[in-house]
């Protein structure tokens, strides 16, 4: 087994060589300080699944801050220690050996966690790697591989996560897991749909009113973070639909609806239109835009939306509701109505309505501007004031609606207006 893992840890298709390099530097530094050093969590899970790893989740038995300091002494970079949590962020030195994305990594001290009450943030205490694995969400995330010295490639798997991986099963570590932290319900569904695994029946029955009720006490920020992670995934529609079927949403906000399955395909953006893309924002727009204005604003408060996100969802909802009144309007009327809305809101409403004017706006109308500028009006002796805006808007509208089609015609119109 150790040999198998050693092979995986050296596979450049799973771990790019610069990350391997970095891991080996950290491991030998930890060894010289007498600290057992491990990669844990998602790293081990994805490695065993034969999938490229993303984050380097590093845990040491010992003082992660001391390890960080000695790495900075030896290799440079910067350290931000968090004494309360016994963790440190190492901002890597910008040398060739460290061309890494992201350019920082977390160094964590193995710890145990206790929950003072359901849904509270845990109290943490430095401890052993075994305790650290016991505080985790699912067996498949509760494995570690040791990296220092002769121990390189040893798997620690106290909860048999490897066999759950083989059985494609998500399983919590103890019956109170979802009560301690109901954000794990979202995480369970995310992994289930991402890997096409099954939430084990013994864990599935723990998604029940007792654990779901704890969601009511959870901060909007924590819940939204989980929803953001979901909308950022390829299979997000399946995840959000599944959460709806488990009746999760009513515990967060009574008006949170089920996700409309027929909207699933829209999450794939067409970037040719030069609309700033965000799967997360688009996910929330598609999910919520058919609600009333009051419900949207109330959910935005509960989930601690940023003002940009609130504006994007609200804007899409207003636009969708006003489409019947705008249909057959002149282009300038459309532009007037659309100009203050986020492009992504307009694009999303286009996807669900296929209203051609929205596409015309995104690809063409929004870029139409008259040749005349404010400066030109000043040169022509116009006193500063609201007339500037009125004249420029009238010229733009004339271009949009086809009443002027050339610079000469624009000049004639300008002369008439002045
Ligand atoms: P991915 O980023 O691919 O979703 P990951 O495993 O890297 O997966 P993170 O959110 O980065 O996920 O968490 C790192 C590890 O921390 C997890 O693998 C898990 O062991 C542990 N963890 C994260 N959130 C929780 C939680 N709410 N309760 C218990 N353990 C958790």
């Amino acid at each position: 087994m150790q040999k198998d893992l050693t092979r995986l840890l050296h596979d450049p298709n799973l771990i790019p060589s610069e990350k391997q390099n970095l891991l080996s530097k950290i491991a030998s530094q930890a060894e010289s300080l007498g600290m057992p050093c491990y990669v844990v969590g998602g790293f081990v899970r994805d490695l065993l699944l034969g999938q490229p790893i993303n984050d380097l989740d590093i845990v040491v038995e010992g003082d992660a801050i001391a390890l960080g300091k000695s790495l900075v002494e030896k290799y440079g970079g910067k350290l931000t220690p968090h004494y309360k949590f016994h963790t440190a962020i190492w901002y890597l030195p910008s040398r060739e050996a460290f061309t890494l994305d992201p350019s920082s990594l977390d160094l964590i001290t193995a710890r145990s966690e206790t929950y003072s009450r359901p849904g509270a943030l845990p109290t943490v205490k430095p401890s052993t790697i075994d305790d650290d694995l016991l505080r985790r969400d699912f067996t498949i995330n509760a494995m570690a591989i040791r990296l220092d010295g002769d121990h390189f490639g040893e798997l620690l798997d106290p909860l048999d996560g490897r066999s759950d991986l083989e059985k494609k099963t998500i399983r919590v570590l103890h019956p109170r897991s979802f009560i301690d932290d109901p954000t794990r319900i979202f995480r369970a569904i995310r992994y289930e749909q991402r890997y096409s695994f099954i939430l084990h029946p013994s864990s599935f029955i723990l998604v029940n009113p007792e654990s779901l009720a704890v969601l009511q006490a959870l901060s909007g920020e924590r819940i939204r973070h989980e929803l953001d992670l979901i909308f950022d995934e390829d299979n997000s529609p399946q995840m959000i639909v599944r959460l709806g079927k488990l009746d999760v949403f009513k515990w967060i906000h009574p008006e949170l609806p089920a996700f409309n399955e027929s909207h699933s395909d829209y999450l794939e953006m067409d970037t040719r239109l030069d609309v700033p893309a965000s799967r997360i924002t688009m996910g929330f727009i598609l999910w919520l835009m058919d609600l009333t204005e009051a419900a949207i604003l109330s959910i935005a408060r509960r989930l601690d939306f940023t003002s940009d996100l609130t504006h994007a969802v609200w804007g899409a909802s207003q636009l969708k509701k006003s489409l019947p009144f705008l249909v057959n309007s002149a282009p300038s009327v459309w532009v007037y109505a659309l100009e203050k809305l986020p492009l992504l809101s307009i694009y999303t409403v286009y996807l669900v309505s296929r209203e051609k004017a929205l596409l015309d706006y995104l690809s063409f109308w929004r870029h139409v501007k008259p040749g005349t500028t404010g400066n030109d009006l000043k040169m022509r002796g116009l006193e500063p004031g609201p007339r500037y805006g009125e004249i420029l808007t009238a010229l733009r509208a004339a271009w949009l609606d086809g009443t002027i089609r050339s610079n000469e015609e624009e000049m004639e119109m300008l002369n008439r207006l002045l």
Side-chain angles (χ1 to χ4, degrees), residues 41-42 45 135-137 141 181 184 187 190-191 194:
R45 179 196 69 224
R135 75 178 170 86
R136 289 172 185 268
D137 46 6
N141 282 344
D181 178 358
R184 292 174 183 159
R187 297 179 62 83
R190 194 154 56 84
Y191 294 126
R194 185 200 289 171

Side-chain angles (χ1 to χ4, degrees), residues 296-324:
I296 289 173
L297 296 178
S298 171
I299 288 168
R301 271 195 303 278
R302 169 66 182 105
L303 290 178
D304 204 19
F305 279 10
T306 60
S307 57
D308 280 354
L309 181 57
T310 307
H311 188 53
V313 176
W314 175 86
S317 141
Q318 294 293 307
L319 174 58
K320 187 156 179 245
K321 288 175 188 109
S322 54
L323 281 185

Side-chain angles (χ1 to χ4, degrees), residues 5 38-39 44 61 129-130 133 142-146 151 153-161:
L5 286 177
Y38 307 86
V39 277
V44 181
E61 278 176 312
I129 187 71
D130 285 309
L133 295 179
M143 293 179 273
I145 302 175
R146 194 158 166 183
H151 298 282
E154 274 176 22
L155 179 70
L156 272 80
D157 183 13
L159 299 147
D160 218 3

Side-chain angles (χ1 to χ4, degrees), residues 40-46 54-57 111 113 115 132-138 140-143 173 177 181-185 187 190-191 194-195 222 225-226 229 233:
V40 293
F43 184 109
V44 181
R45 179 196 69 224
D46 287 341
N54 286 315
D55 302 335
L56 301 179
D57 297 328
R111 65 199 199 207
E113 284 183 352
Y115 292 84
D132 194 282
L133 295 179
L134 284 175
R135 75 178 170 86
R136 289 172 185 268
D137 46 6
F138 310 112
I140 59 165
N141 282 344
M143 293 179 273
L173 308 195
S177 184
D181 178 358
T183 65
R184 292 174 183 159
I185 296 169
R187 297 179 62 83
R190 194 154 56 84
Y191 294 126
R194 185 200 289 171
Y195 298 118
R222 279 180 74 191
H225 176 67
E226 296 302 327
L229 290 176
E233 297 255 353

